[in-house]
Amino acid sequence: MLDLGWIREHPDEVRRGAARKGIAFDVDALLALDEERRQLIHIQEQAKAEQNALGKQVATLAGDSKQVALTRLKQLKEGVKEHTDRLAPIQQQIDVMLLACPNPPADDVPDGPDDSANVELRTEGTKATFDFQPKDHVELMRQHDWLDVDRAGRLAGSRSYVLKGEAVLLEQAVLRLAMDLIVERGYTMLSVPVIVKEWALRGTAYFPGAEEQTYRIANPTSEDEAFWLVGTSEVSVTALHGGEILDHADLPLKYAGISPCFRREAGTYGKDTRGVYRVHQFNKVEQVVVDVADDATSRQHHADILENAEEMLRRLGLAYRVMAVAAGDMGRGARFKYDLEAWMPGRDAYGETHSATRFRDYQARRLDLRYRDAEGKVRHCHTLNNTVIASPRVLVAFVETHQQADGTIAVPAALQPYLNGRTVLGKA
RNA sequence: GGAGAGGUGGCCGAGUGGUCGAAGGCGCGCGCUUGGAAAGCGCGUACUCCGGAAACGGGGUCGCAGGUUCAAAUCCUGUCCUCUCCGCCA
């Protein structure tokens, strides 16, 4: 969310930002409400001030003068109540609008309505080439009896999967490699709740908007606030310090969450249905940075979390490209977003495996996540996040890239220690 | 699931209707003292909103949301969270 005072000062920037993102937002309506709100507050507070002053005298008065004061106080009370009642719906509308107001994209974000306008910044690694007929990940995993989609469907419906045998060991090896890498880079691992209260999703800017994509818990422990399954541990990790005032000396916070992730994938019928590319439940290591409100610092962190993810892909021996996500495709909260797309031979295309987002203070304001700077001033933090690794999607690129003529999978050196020194997986 | 206790400032902790944004202590900051330090002494130490160029003035906040009252940290209701005991349990 943006600071209302800042919106007042920069209505054109807000208007232009919303337009670039293709999000309808009526800045003028918001500012009109704000104007009305401030007028009401002013009148109401003057009455309150008189009420307080007179109220203090009441205790010392007696007889007629006391009766006069009490009568006046009753009037004042009614006046205050009237203004409070008028203020409440206005404040509520403002709150709703503020939550909906998009973060203007940074100047260097490419323009465009959707992912077709994403810009390829560079490609890294060499796409795998084969002197045999390569198979896609489904064929490969079936050959090794690593995947059971049919029974998974019976158990849990479409977009479910059962990993089996060495595939499970492979997945765990990849996750372990990811954790060791990110710890090596100075991050603290967190194992976090995946069932969270609604404020955490609002605070990270998923709500309002992503309710349709999120599983809701049917029997929550609380009657009045809904519980939801997170689609990424970004939600739990970023919201971890929500409502706190951190000390600048403790910043930056560099966390990495590991958790299962749950996504309804509503509205994607028929899209990416083959194999384990798009599924309802997966496992992910996610990096999150919380630091001071400084754009240069944030940009540096953004470069760093991008590099961490690139190192992960390098260690897995995967070719990939770095994309600058277009304004219309980056979501309401992002200021700038990089996607990493790994080469997937079976799709004969790059497929998204990582998403690195810089928010400025957009999430922190919603989360009330603040810090005290060196001068003692309280400010909202900046937050960023990026995938380290998400499985099983990365396994698509992995097995398709490292397949050999007989269908077995060559294990890159970096992963071998996590597989008891195995250099090849699968059976011919 | 049953029974009970409690949530106050960075921390500990007092406070059962007005003089309480809140005693006292700890911590922290500044100053005095000292050869230097400790001790000691003094001063200062929450967040937020509105008005104002500022100085400053005012509103709100004692888990959260309502209610009673001229007036609520204090009374009432609901709710969230924490702790203890019993039950169940990976």
Side-chain angles (χ1 to χ4, degrees):
Chain A
M1 140 174 109
L2 300 174
D3 177 44
L4 186 50
W6 186 86
I7 297 174
R8 269 201 300 264
E9 307 292 314
H10 305 85
D12 291 334
E13 261 184 75
V14 176
R15 233 186 308 271
R16 184 165 157 271
R20 291 183 69 202
K21 283 190 168 179
I23 295 172
F25 186 77
D26 191 342
V27 183
D28 297 316
L30 175 62
L31 293 181
L33 284 168
D34 177 45
E35 183 60 35
E36 198 179 346
R37 164 180 157 270
R38 284 188 293 159
Q39 278 174 15
L40 282 170
I41 285 177
H42 196 64
I43 300 168
Q44 184 216 40
E45 287 190 351
Q46 280 177 338
K48 271 229 131 137
E50 188 183 346
Q51 199 181 13
N52 287 341
L54 195 56
K56 275 180 187 161
Q57 293 172 28
V58 164
T60 66
L61 298 175
D64 284 352
S65 53
K66 181 162 187 172
Q67 286 313 309
V68 170
L70 287 178
T71 306
R72 174 67 183 148
L73 279 167
K74 267 214 157 104
Q75 286 174 3
L76 286 167
K77 190 190 180 189
E78 278 163 24
V80 167
K81 180 160 165 42
E82 188 200 321
H83 282 96
T84 306
D85 289 346
R86 282 173 62 190
L87 203 51
I90 292 170
Q91 186 62 53
Q92 204 173 359
Q93 285 178 67
I94 290 174
D95 291 344
V96 168
M97 288 194 83
L98 278 178
L99 285 178
C101 183
N103 199 1
D107 290 339
D108 48 343
V109 167
D111 279 309
D114 52 43
D115 60 358
S116 66
N118 292 355
V119 172
E120 181 183 291
L121 298 177
R122 55 194 161 83
T123 61
E124 302 287 345
T126 311
K127 292 179 189 171
T129 53
F130 307 96
D131 51 11
F132 54 89
Q133 183 58 43
K135 299 169 178 156
D136 80 357
H137 74 282
V138 176
E139 296 172 276
L140 291 164
M141 293 178 96
R142 286 217 167 113
Q143 174 181 327
H144 309 311
D145 195 19
W146 282 0
L147 180 65
D148 188 342
V149 173
D150 298 335
R151 292 190 181 87
R154 208 164 65 206
L155 266 178
S158 66
R159 297 201 190 284
S160 300
Y161 59 95
V162 171
L163 291 186
K164 207 170 162 188
E166 287 177 329
V168 178
L169 304 181
L170 173 61
E171 177 180 56
Q172 293 297 317
V174 168
L175 292 171
R176 281 291 289 141
L177 172 60
M179 284 195 273
D180 281 1
L181 164 63
I182 204 68
V183 168
E184 198 180 288
R185 298 270 162 119
Y187 289 70
T188 302
M189 287 301 310
L190 294 176
S191 176
V192 290
V194 294
I195 302 173
V196 300
K197 296 185 187 178
E198 196 162 310
W199 69 262
L201 286 148
R202 244 191 337 265
T204 45
Y206 282 93
F207 287 6
E211 290 86 348
E212 293 285 299
Q213 299 300 331
T214 311
Y215 289 102
R216 187 191 171 115
I217 302 290
N219 48 351
T221 54
S222 162
E223 301 274 319
D224 60 11
E225 189 171 18
F227 283 70
W228 302 76
L229 287 175
V230 297
T232 161
S233 64
E234 168 203 337
V235 173
S236 313
V237 174
T238 311
L240 184 65
H241 293 281
E244 296 182 26
I245 299 176
L246 306 166
D247 189 331
H248 71 279
D250 297 329
L251 299 175
L253 300 178
K254 293 186 171 185
Y255 287 136
I258 180 164
S259 82
C261 306
F262 305 91
R263 302 190 181 182
R264 294 190 60 198
E265 299 294 353
T268 61
Y269 300 109
K271 198 171 160 191
D272 306 319
T273 51
R274 187 165 167 80
V276 296
Y277 183 84
R278 187 181 295 278
V279 291
H280 287 307
Q281 178 182 338
F282 58 97
N283 297 301
K284 183 155 66 80
V285 179
E286 174 83 8
Q287 40 184 334
V288 171
V289 177
V290 176
D291 203 357
V292 296
D294 178 73
D295 284 323
T297 306
S298 268
R299 281 170 194 273
Q300 185 56 54
H301 284 314
H302 205 180
D304 290 345
I305 61 176
L306 180 65
E307 155 55 27
N308 293 339
E310 290 190 56
E311 175 63 14
M312 184 69 206
L313 290 174
R314 280 195 294 272
R315 290 192 190 180
L316 290 178
L318 299 177
Y320 63 91
R321 62 177 183 171
V322 183
M323 307 293 288
V325 174
D329 190 41
M330 61 197 275
R332 187 175 27 224
R335 185 84 172 164
F336 194 104
K337 187 175 194 173
Y338 295 110
D339 277 357
L340 290 183
E341 299 180 349
W343 180 250
M344 299 181 178
R347 297 164 71 92
D348 194 32
Y350 287 101
E352 182 186 330
T353 55
H354 295 70
S355 198
T357 308
R358 185 169 91 225
F359 290 92
R360 217 160 177 275
D361 58 3
Y362 193 82
Q363 287 184 321
R365 281 185 185 279
R366 291 168 165 250
L367 290 166
D368 198 22
L369 170 57
R370 294 173 294 174
Y371 71 101
R372 199 181 300 277
D373 70 14
E375 284 77 49
K377 197 169 180 315
V378 176
R379 321 173 64 124
H380 287 94
C381 298
H382 279 194
T383 62
L384 308 94
N385 64 67
N386 187 13
T387 318
V388 181
I389 206 69
S391 171
R393 183 176 284 188
V394 72
L395 300 184
V396 174
F398 185 86
V399 301
E400 289 177 357
T401 295
H402 295 299
Q403 65 179 299
Q404 306 180 101
D406 62 0
T408 57
I409 311 297
V411 180
L415 205 54
Q416 289 169 12
Y418 300 94
L419 288 163
N420 294 323
R422 299 276 297 275
T423 56
V424 177
L425 294 177
K427 53 195 178 210

